[in-house]
Amino acid sequence: MKVAVEGCCHGELDQIYESISYLENKEGVKVDLLLCCGDFQAVRNEGDMKCMAVPAKYRHMQTFYKYYSGEKKAPVLTIFIGGNHEASNHLQELPYGGWVAPNIYYLGYAGIVRFKGVRIGGVSGIFKSHDYKKGHFEFPPYSPESLRSVYHIRNIDVFKLKQIKMPIDIFMTHDWPRGIYHYGNTNQLIRQKKFLRQEVESGTLGSPAAAELLDHMQPTYWFSAHLHVKFAALMQHEAKNNAAPKITKFLSLDKCLPHRDFLQIVEVADRPGSSVHLEYDPEWLAILKATDSLQKPSCNFWNPPQDNGLHTQYRLCYNDYIFILPPFMRVPHDEPSEYPTDTSGLSSSYNPDEITIEDEWVEEEDEGVECAEGKGTDAVVPEGQVGSQDSDRDSSPQREMANRLILPPPCSAPESEAPLRSLRPLSLPPPSASLSQGSSEEEGGLTPARVPKRTSGETTRGSASHTGGTPQIKRRNQSIYTAVEDEESEG
């Protein structure tokens, strides 16, 4: 199947989906799935905006709210993890993952699902050693410290993922596994991002927690973002248990901006006969059950059990227990959050634990015209209007008929619960017809999403900017677009 991989999203859903449609028309392919590697920015309202750890001048609604409100529907099934610039209050409502909008699924602090027989996992956040052993203790209204610590990865989530025994096909992290740069073109990476040289040479670039997971799971594909550069690597693992050594294909992509390598389509082998729905992963559900008592919402340090394995009293039996994900519940996007989330005074606070590579806002301004110089040939910039495609298909391998745990589709209004006729299979009904603004199409009969109009000042080579009476949304980092175009026009 065709999987579109995207780097840092930063709320630019309109542009990402338009780029996918452009590629589908240009290459004559059909994208089955979109994976976003963090900084998704699922902002529903102004209250959410104030819960993002970004300077106030960069807080913009962007376009996610259109998909949350039902004004638009994602034309391709989208799965994402969290990064270090998120509407944290929104994502904390779904610690185990769930639908944030129709056809858009969040993996939670850590999670694994199945799509067309392919096991897809991920962990949200970035690594910070001083918060790593703490629990998820943060809640809104955030303090200057918790606004940032809320997106720091925790060892409880890594511990859960290290209980995985079955093979993983795809795994996503926001920051890179430490040391992965040794398996690609390191010199080119340093030429593109000169400020990374010291960390590369000292061996401190990347997340040691992600490196642990990479060594344990050894997935076929590993996708990341965070550093705003396209980088590919091929890592061969040491052989285990007399088996042939596994190989992981690593790919990191840029942020969604013109002339950047922010999107790439990857061919991933699916499993014939698999389900056509997004599914729970039985092994992951068993792990969640076995580790439930270990979850503590405390800032106290927590150490995993000895040898980092589950105690023998835990039995990973996923035939007897079933976890049903509640459906997507939509709140009108213009309603404020129920929490007092005014953190507008936090943008000027000093944060000693932040490092240069995390602050892409400053990086982009400092690099200036490097955007134009470092653009790659694979950068995708849509040219003109194209038709939209839609896909909502999915998967699962063995235990196909016996243990199929299908994720319930999102809906925006509560429905009366129908009694369970049997434990398996859990094929839940499609979204209710009461979805607001006509977002409840039957599977296979989705109406095409409207092609997003370009806003003022946003141009593409060979295409004129659009004007008219339609509402226009201010694009973040508009000055960067101008700087790049001016530099290119000079030579």
Side-chain angles (χ1 to χ4, degrees), residues 52 58 68 89 151 451 469 476:
M52 287 198 302
Y58 293 122
Y68 177 78
N89 63 321
Y151 57 70
V451 176
R476 174 178 47 74

Side-chain angles (χ1 to χ4, degrees), residues 81-109:
I81 57 170
N84 59 311
H85 296 297
E86 303 289 359
S88 297
N89 63 321
H90 184 190
L91 297 190
Q92 275 203 294
E93 296 172 8
L94 297 166
Y96 296 102
W99 302 103
V100 297
N103 229 21
I104 302 178
Y105 188 83
Y106 168 53
L107 279 178
Y109 289 133

Side-chain angles (χ1 to χ4, degrees), residues 16-264:
I16 293 169
Y17 290 137
E18 187 177 347
S19 298
I20 290 174
S21 294
Y22 169 78
L23 277 178
E24 287 180 325
N25 283 321
K26 180 181 178 182
E27 306 295 335
V29 299
K30 176 68 177 69
V31 172
D32 300 289
L33 174 69
L34 169 63
L35 300 178
C36 295
C37 300
D39 286 353
F40 191 79
Q41 296 182 199
V43 176
R44 303 163 295 184
N45 50 51
E46 291 186 1
D48 290 351
M49 246 192 315
K50 294 174 182 178
C51 292
M52 287 198 302
V54 300
K57 65 179 180 178
Y58 293 122
R59 289 177 181 158
H60 302 298
M61 284 291 290
Q62 302 302 79
T63 58
F64 168 78
Y65 75 91
K66 299 178 183 178
Y67 300 87
Y68 177 78
S69 67
E71 179 183 342
K72 291 186 175 183
K73 181 174 180 179
V76 59
L77 178 63
T78 302
I79 300 175
F80 74 97
I81 57 170
N84 59 311
H85 296 297
E86 303 289 359
S88 297
N89 63 321
H90 184 190
L91 297 190
Q92 275 203 294
E93 296 172 8
L94 297 166
Y96 296 102
W99 302 103
V100 297
N103 229 21
I104 302 178
Y105 188 83
Y106 168 53
L107 279 178
Y109 289 133
I112 297 174
V113 292
R114 297 188 180 197
F115 177 79
K116 299 192 73 175
V118 177
R119 296 185 83 200
I120 301 168
V123 59
S124 296
I126 60 172
F127 177 82
K128 286 293 181 180
S129 59
H130 56 272
D131 287 324
Y132 183 59
K133 292 187 177 182
K134 298 177 182 178
H136 292 286
F137 65 91
E138 299 88 353
F139 59 87
Y142 300 116
S143 66
E145 293 77 21
S146 64
L147 183 68
R148 291 164 174 82
S149 68
V150 68
Y151 57 70
H152 294 162
I153 189 174
R154 306 298 157 88
N155 64 346
I156 179 63
D157 301 312
V158 173
F159 172 77
K160 292 175 185 178
L161 289 165
K162 290 183 73 173
Q163 309 313 310
I164 292 291
K165 302 299 182 186
M166 297 171 62
I168 294 289
D169 298 297
I170 297 173
F171 200 79
M172 293 187 288
T173 55
H174 187 57
D175 47 358
W176 297 13
R178 181 164 292 181
I180 193 66
Y181 42 84
H182 292 308
Y183 299 89
N185 193 333
T186 310
N187 292 331
Q188 182 180 359
L189 172 64
I190 294 176
R191 284 197 299 269
Q192 290 182 269
K193 299 289 180 178
K194 298 179 177 62
F195 62 91
L196 297 180
R197 176 181 292 276
Q198 182 178 354
E199 287 175 284
V200 168
E201 292 177 349
S202 63
T204 58
L205 177 63
S207 165
E212 275 188 59
L213 292 174
L214 176 60
D215 178 66
H216 173 76
M217 293 187 291
Q218 302 183 1
T220 306
Y221 297 93
W222 189 293
F223 301 130
S224 298
H226 191 45
L227 298 185
H228 298 166
V229 61
K230 182 177 180 179
F231 181 80
L234 196 65
M235 179 179 183
Q236 180 172 311
H237 301 274
E238 293 184 7
K240 292 184 178 181
N241 302 323
N242 297 322
K246 294 184 178 180
I247 294 177
T248 296
K249 300 175 183 177
F250 174 83
L251 176 65
S252 181
L253 293 167
D254 209 330
K255 66 193 295 186
C256 181
L257 281 177
H259 314 299
R260 298 291 195 96
D261 294 320
F262 67 89
L263 186 69
Q264 183 158 326

